[in-house]
Amino acid sequence: MGSRETRCVVGIDIAKQTHVVCALEAPGGAIRLKPSKIEASLEGYARVQEWLQSWAEPAATVIGMEATGTLWEPLYDFLTQAGYHVLLLNPRQTASWASSLGLRAKTDGIDAHTLARGLLAGLARPSTLPSETVQSLRALTRARRDLVQTRAAARQRLHDELVVLFPEFVPLLRQLPGEADLGAPAALHLLEAYPSAAVLAPAPTDAVLLVAQQASNGRWGEAEVALLQQAARRSAASSRAVAARSLVVRTFVGQVLHLHTQIAELEAAIQEVLRDDADSRRLQGIPGIGPQGAATIRAELGDVMRFSRVDAVVAYAGLDPRTCQSGAFVGQKHLSKRGHMI
C-alpha cells in the first residue's frame, strides 16, 4: 500500500459457502496468514476478526474483497462495523492482477493471495458502494426484470399449447372489446375455466357467459360468448392428449396470473422508493422516461455526478465500442459488454 501506517493487508476471496483469507505484512510482504478457509457465517466472521485483532489495529489494516454478486455484503458489513477499512474490488481489476503476475492456475487460495499482493502494491481502485436508495432500486428493478422475462416465457408456452388445443382463440381475442390479448386477465380467467376448444364447445352457454362477464368485468356479453363458442365448435384443434394439454394450459395460466400479481407488488414498491428520491423525480421530468425507466437508470448508474464525461457512463454500462487491430488487420468494432460488477 505504500503507507507507513499500514502494517497488514488482507485479501479475501468470496464464495457462497466459504471465504478464503490471506494476509501479508506491510510493507515487506511476508506472509502473515497463508490462504485459509472460513465459513460464510457469523462464527466464520468472528474468526476473521480474531485474526485481525492479533495482527494490527483496525487503522493499520487494509482489507480487500471482490464484488462477487451480493455475496460480499454480510462480511463487508461485519468488518466495517468493527472499524476496519475494506476495499470492494471489481473482479475484472483483480483478474488483471493475476495476469500481470503470470498466474495460470486459479484457486480460491491463489485468488486471496493475489488480492493481498495487489493491495500491497497499491493497485487497488475501490468500487463505489451504492446508496441505500440505489441498492433498493437495484434489487427491485432486477427482480421485476426477471419476473417480466419469466412471464413472457410462460405466455409463449401458453400460446404454443393453444395453437394445438384452440388455434382460433388468440386471433379471435382481437375482435373482443377491451384490452383483449393472451396476457390480459380476462382471457386468462376464461382459459382457466375452458382451456381448450373441446371443453368450451359443449359447455352450457349460461355458464360460459357468467365466467366471461366476471373475467372481463362486464365487457364481454352474449355476443362475445357466442363468437367464442362458435369458433370452438368449428375449431381445427387436435384431438390428441386434450386432457393433458388442458392441464398444461391451466398451469401456465395460473403462473401468468400469479406473475401479474408479483410484478404489480414490485412496481408498487418501486414507486414508494421513487417517491422519496429527488434524482428519480428529475429523471422522470425528461420526456420519454417514466417510472420504470427512471428506476432502472438510478439502479444501474447510481449517482451520475461521479461520472466526469458521457463516455464514462457509456463505458460503465458496457456499451463502449472496441476495435480489434493488429498490423494490417483491422477487425470490426463491437460492444465491450464489460459493464459494472456491483
Side-chain angles (χ1 to χ4, degrees):
M1 292 293 295
S3 170
R4 291 184 179 179
E5 291 93 8
T6 301
R7 294 174 49 199
C8 183
V9 294
V10 183
I12 305 178
D13 184 72
I14 302 295
K16 283 185 178 180
Q17 303 298 327
T18 61
H19 307 324
V20 178
V21 182
C22 179
L24 305 177
E25 293 181 0
I31 294 179
R32 178 66 64 86
L33 176 72
K34 65 180 181 180
S36 303
K37 283 189 177 182
I38 62 161
E39 290 185 358
S41 64
L42 189 59
E43 290 75 16
Y45 302 161
R47 187 180 181 192
V48 173
Q49 188 176 21
E50 290 176 2
W51 289 338
L52 293 171
Q53 289 172 341
S54 68
W55 298 333
E57 295 294 322
T61 305
V62 176
I63 303 168
M65 62 178 67
E66 282 188 344
T68 306
T70 57
L71 300 177
W72 53 271
E73 290 187 21
L75 180 56
Y76 179 92
D77 288 348
F78 181 90
L79 293 175
T80 53
Q81 289 169 12
Y84 289 94
H85 180 46
V86 184
L87 301 179
L88 195 61
L89 306 172
N90 189 307
R92 294 196 180 96
Q93 176 187 183
T94 56
S96 69
W97 298 354
S99 298
S100 67
L101 293 171
L103 298 176
R104 295 185 178 182
K106 178 174 170 47
T107 66
D108 294 341
I110 291 175
D111 289 347
H113 190 202
T114 301
L115 291 174
R117 292 176 67 179
L119 291 172
L120 188 68
L123 302 177
R125 290 182 292 112
S127 300
T128 301
L129 288 179
S131 66
E132 181 72 16
T133 295
V134 170
Q135 190 72 54
S136 297
L137 288 174
R138 188 169 293 174
L140 293 169
T141 56
R142 290 179 179 180
R144 179 186 177 276
R145 176 201 62 198
D146 292 343
L147 292 186
V148 168
Q149 292 174 348
T150 301
R151 182 177 63 181
R155 286 176 57 178
Q156 183 59 52
R157 185 70 171 81
L158 179 59
H159 183 277
D160 293 344
E161 289 298 329
L162 289 173
V163 167
V164 179
L165 281 178
F166 195 173
E168 299 80 11
F169 184 79
V170 174
L172 188 58
L173 287 176
R174 304 188 188 100
Q175 303 178 33
L176 304 183
E179 298 178 1
D181 61 53
L182 193 53
L188 293 170
H189 284 301
L190 186 66
L191 284 173
E192 197 171 32
Y194 304 102
S196 66
V199 174
L200 179 60
T205 301
D206 291 345
V208 178
L209 178 60
L210 180 61
V211 171
Q213 287 177 332
Q214 291 177 342
S216 65
N217 291 323
R219 291 191 301 270
W220 296 351
E222 294 181 359
E224 287 73 29
V225 168
L227 194 62
L228 287 164
Q229 285 200 294
Q230 184 179 22
R233 292 173 185 134
R234 298 178 179 178
S235 178
S238 170
S239 60
R240 300 170 62 86
V242 172
R245 286 169 166 164
S246 295
L247 178 58
V248 171
V249 167
R250 285 195 174 101
T251 299
F252 281 103
V253 163
Q255 183 180 15
V256 174
L257 286 170
H258 183 55
L259 288 168
H260 281 337
T261 301
Q262 292 181 314
I263 292 169
E265 290 175 353
L266 289 173
E267 291 175 348
I270 289 171
Q271 288 283 11
E272 285 294 320
V273 178
L274 294 180
R275 187 175 294 113
D276 297 326
D277 184 46
D279 289 337
S280 297
R281 291 196 298 270
R282 282 193 288 271
L283 280 170
Q284 292 182 72
I286 301 174
I289 297 181
Q292 297 306 322
T296 301
I297 293 171
R298 282 285 285 139
E300 302 305 330
L301 291 185
D303 181 10
V304 296
M305 298 304 294
R306 61 196 174 97
F307 299 104
S308 59
R309 306 192 320 272
V310 173
D311 290 350
V313 178
V314 173
Y316 181 78
L319 299 176
D320 52 317
R322 300 186 65 196
T323 301
C324 181
Q325 186 269 337
S326 178
F329 171 78
V330 179
Q332 292 183 340
K333 290 185 177 182
H334 58 88
L335 296 182
S336 69
K337 298 183 180 179
R338 294 172 64 87
H340 67 95
M341 297 295 290
I342 63 168

